[in-house]
Amino acid sequence: MKMKKLIIILVVAGLGFSSCKKAIDLYPESNLNTATYYTNYAEVNAGLLAVYNSMRNPLYRQWQLTELRSDNSWMGVTGSTNSFNRDLSDLDMFMPAPGHDGIYNYWQDSYNVIRNANTILQKLGVSYDPTAGTITLADINIPISETDRKQFAGEAMFIRAQQYFSLVRLFGGVMLIHKLVTPVEAKSINRSTVAEIYKFIETDLKTAATYTSNKPYSQILPVMKGSANSWAAKALLAKVYLTQNKKAEAITLLQDVIANSGYGLQPTYASVFATSNELNSEILFAVRYKSGGIGQGSTFGNDFGPLNSGSAIINGSGLGWNTPTTELDTALNGDSRKATILASYGVGTAANLYVKKYLTPVSVTGDGESDWPVIRYADVLLLLAEAQGFTPASVALINQVHIRAGLPSLIPSITTVAEFEKALSNERRVEFAFENQRWFDLVRYNTTLTTITAQQVMKDHFAKMYTVHYGTYVVPTPTLAFIQANVTADHLLLPIPQYEIDINTQIVIPQNPGY
């Protein structure tokens, strides 16, 4: 997020929620609202900061819909009858109901971010033509330069595209809302096709790459570090292309980022996540947090810390969410990344794994400093290897990330396509563990790789982990056949929240197959 300025975020976060019914005074000076607020550079900048700030809300739950549904994480509090914990178990075992609270809350939070971005974009005169797939700029009355206007707009479009990219991968075709609409108008908007959503995402990101700064990393001013820029837009667009199997388009963008962005790998994995080294050369974009008792801190240290650990690990104890699987723990043996990613609390059979990556000392519970990476330079390298396929150059790209982890070169051991794809999948799994990437990677492999599928990986995971977890600790105890039967092509997508379907009396919103 642009800087860690907070006061103006708090002021603007409530815009649009206050009103007055007196006809003689529609907009009292004591109330800020979107109709009267955006009149100068400072106010637009404050509004955009509020858009960045709102990205934290869906991120708070995204791990439930991604890491928990992958082979990296499982539901750690298995015997609980608490409804929230049962919802986590249902996600873990591929059986969420359409009325699942966590899914609906994530959906709602994501569309709130999109609404906030649309507010800024409307004030900046930005409009999208769904037929032509183009962005146009209308005249505005805000006294800002065209360069600043495009920078603001590009950042808002990047955020909007990033939210839609997550939604389309989780739900398939969703409601395409590219401008401000009234509640009545919203009820007439049905699901768009997956192709229409991707067309929109591509347009936003291509425009953002043009509108925002393309200065190399070393030339980015401190005040602009953390802002979405041209390189972040190109890297995200490349992942969008690769997800659609548009490998040639992805390759061009990724090569551009590598050759010209000035970003690069940090010397160690730990330095990527050190709070003393935020926004380093590996972070193309991150959702930012600020500790200090000002309401802007990260909760993930406490959320993911070990349950009932008191103050032994983090002040305020942990909730035990997003528990690492023993399968991932084993995969990290001998890997220097392990010390940053996870740890164990307790002794013997009472020991529990927990996510360490976002754990920093806190004075107040839920007030951590760690940012959440969205796009890293290591991601760019490994995406290029995936897009290029099995070539010596691609193996060398994987090797850069692999060797940084203190591991021996992969080059002598990769001689076939299957070995290459396994090495790529394994590298991405551990490199981006608990960054909400593994699930999206597995689903993308169904299209981009030839020997790995999400369904088979997850069925194999349940088979490996059945005796040590699912068949031993989950209550009521499911059979392995039952869990594996849930892993279907239909269940690669989540259900559309049932509330959205039930509350709409104007149109019929189709539910995803299998729900």
Side-chain angles (χ1 to χ4, degrees):
M1 187 170 58
K2 290 175 70 177
M3 305 173 283
K4 288 194 174 180
K5 290 188 176 179
L6 307 166
I7 296 175
I8 49 181
I9 293 178
L10 297 174
V11 170
V12 180
L15 291 184
F17 293 98
S18 56
S19 64
C20 179
K21 295 183 180 180
K22 293 182 179 180
I24 59 173
D25 189 7
L26 291 176
Y27 305 115
E29 292 183 5
S30 60
N31 288 344
L32 295 177
N33 57 72
T34 58
T36 62
Y37 184 72
Y38 298 99
T39 60
N40 55 49
Y41 177 99
E43 291 177 353
V44 176
N45 187 53
L48 182 59
L49 285 167
V51 181
Y52 278 97
N53 189 56
S54 67
M55 296 181 76
R56 298 172 184 168
N57 294 329
L59 184 59
Y60 175 72
R61 294 181 175 86
Q62 193 180 68
W63 66 270
Q64 301 173 26
L65 313 185
T66 52
E67 292 293 304
L68 187 56
R69 295 169 68 218
S70 79
D71 49 354
N72 279 353
S73 176
W74 55 25
M75 171 53 189
V77 190
T78 50
S80 174
T81 57
N82 174 277
S83 60
F84 176 78
N85 289 331
R86 295 311 309 167
D87 280 353
L88 294 183
S89 282
D90 289 347
L91 285 167
D92 184 12
M93 295 188 292
F94 282 72
M95 48 187 285
H100 191 284
D101 282 345
I103 293 174
Y104 174 65
N105 288 330
Y106 177 85
W107 172 280
Q108 193 172 47
D109 288 340
S110 297
Y111 273 105
N112 283 340
V113 179
I114 291 165
R115 178 204 60 203
N116 294 343
N118 284 340
T119 299
I120 296 292
L121 290 167
Q122 178 172 291
K123 294 299 177 180
L124 292 172
V126 177
S127 61
Y128 173 71
D129 183 338
T131 302
T134 56
I135 295 287
T136 58
L137 292 174
D139 292 338
I140 59 173
N141 295 321
I142 304 173
I144 58 175
S145 70
E146 194 65 7
T147 298
D148 288 335
R149 176 194 188 186
K150 286 186 173 181
Q151 177 68 34
F152 285 144
E155 292 179 49
M157 281 186 277
F158 173 88
I159 295 170
R160 183 170 70 175
Q162 190 270 336
Q163 295 296 308
Y164 268 114
F165 188 36
S166 294
L167 285 170
V168 73
R169 289 180 293 173
L170 290 170
F171 297 97
V174 293
M175 290 72 171
L176 178 52
I177 302 175
H178 54 83
K179 60 184 179 180
L180 293 179
V181 295
T182 67
V184 173
E185 290 171 332
K187 286 192 174 184
S188 67
I189 300 174
N190 212 323
R191 299 176 66 183
S192 294
T193 66
V194 169
E196 288 168 337
I197 298 297
Y198 274 118
K199 179 181 178 181
F200 177 60
I201 293 169
E202 289 175 14
T203 301
D204 262 2
L205 290 176
K206 283 187 279 190
T207 308
T210 302
Y211 281 6
T212 57
S213 173
N214 65 351
K215 289 182 179 180
Y217 176 78
S218 62
Q219 296 178 26
I220 300 174
L221 297 175
V223 73
M224 291 302 292
K225 281 191 174 180
S227 301
N229 60 26
S230 181
W231 306 113
K234 288 179 179 180
L236 186 59
L237 179 57
K239 185 175 282 190
V240 169
Y241 280 142
L242 188 57
T243 301
Q244 300 172 83
N245 209 28
K246 297 179 180 179
K247 294 182 178 179
E249 292 91 333
I251 288 171
T252 298
L253 288 169
L254 295 165
Q255 289 176 336
D256 183 17
V257 174
I258 291 170
N260 301 309
S261 72
Y263 287 84
L265 291 178
Q266 286 286 291
T268 67
Y269 189 76
S271 67
V272 177
F273 305 96
T275 55
S276 60
N277 191 35
E278 292 178 328
L279 299 178
N280 56 69
S281 64
E282 190 159 335
I283 305 296
L284 276 78
F285 187 77
V287 176
R288 306 211 62 204
Y289 293 88
K290 180 65 177 175
S291 63
I294 51 179
Q296 302 297 316
S298 164
T299 65
F300 295 115
N302 290 100
D303 294 344
F304 301 162
L307 186 67
N308 298 325
S309 55
S311 60
I313 302 298
I314 186 171
N315 185 38
S317 193
L319 294 173
W321 296 346
N322 209 8
T323 303
T325 63
T326 55
E327 182 184 1
L328 176 63
D329 183 43
T330 300
L332 282 163
N333 285 341
D335 192 314
S336 67
R337 291 171 287 200
K338 185 172 185 174
T340 299
I341 294 170
L342 55 80
S344 178
Y345 174 74
V347 179
T349 57
N352 291 304
L353 295 169
Y354 66 92
V355 177
K356 188 180 176 185
K357 185 175 276 189
Y358 306 101
L359 197 153
T360 57
V362 298
S363 299
V364 179
T365 303
D367 189 35
E369 177 72 18
S370 293
D371 296 341
W372 189 289
V374 175
I375 310 169
R376 293 203 274 119
Y377 187 78
D379 200 2
V380 172
L381 295 178
L382 297 179
L383 287 172
L384 181 56
E386 185 178 337
Q388 291 177 161
F390 178 37
T391 67
S394 296
V395 176
L397 290 167
I398 302 173
N399 220 31
Q400 288 186 53
V401 180
H402 192 74
I403 289 175
R404 182 178 68 172
L407 299 168
S409 174
L410 286 166
I411 292 175
S413 62
I414 299 178
T415 60
T416 67
V417 170
E419 289 170 347
F420 167 77
E421 293 183 348
K422 182 179 180 180
L424 173 69
S425 175
N426 289 344
E427 201 66 44
R428 287 192 63 87
R429 180 187 185 185
V430 296
E431 177 69 21
F432 305 114
F434 307 110
E435 294 177 43
N436 297 349
Q437 298 240 34
R438 177 60 171 172
W439 174 251
F440 291 139
D441 286 349
L442 289 175
V443 175
R444 188 179 67 250
Y445 295 157
N446 283 8
T447 301
T448 62
L449 304 185
T450 60
T451 62
I452 296 175
T453 67
Q455 295 95 312
Q456 195 59 53
V457 167
M458 292 310 301
K459 287 181 179 180
D460 290 346
H461 160 70
F462 288 128
K464 292 176 199 172
M465 297 291 100
Y466 184 75
T467 301
V468 299
H469 182 73
Y470 295 97
T472 302
Y473 297 110
V474 175
V475 179
T477 304
T479 65
L480 175 59
F482 171 82
I483 304 174
Q484 289 181 321
N486 292 334
V487 186
T488 64
D490 285 344
H491 284 181
L492 297 183
L493 293 177
L494 294 167
I496 300 297
Q498 192 63 39
Y499 181 80
E500 290 288 344
I501 295 173
D502 292 344
I503 200 173
N504 196 315
T505 58
Q506 294 188 25
I507 58 175
V508 176
I509 300 173
Q511 181 57 273
N512 281 330
Y515 296 100

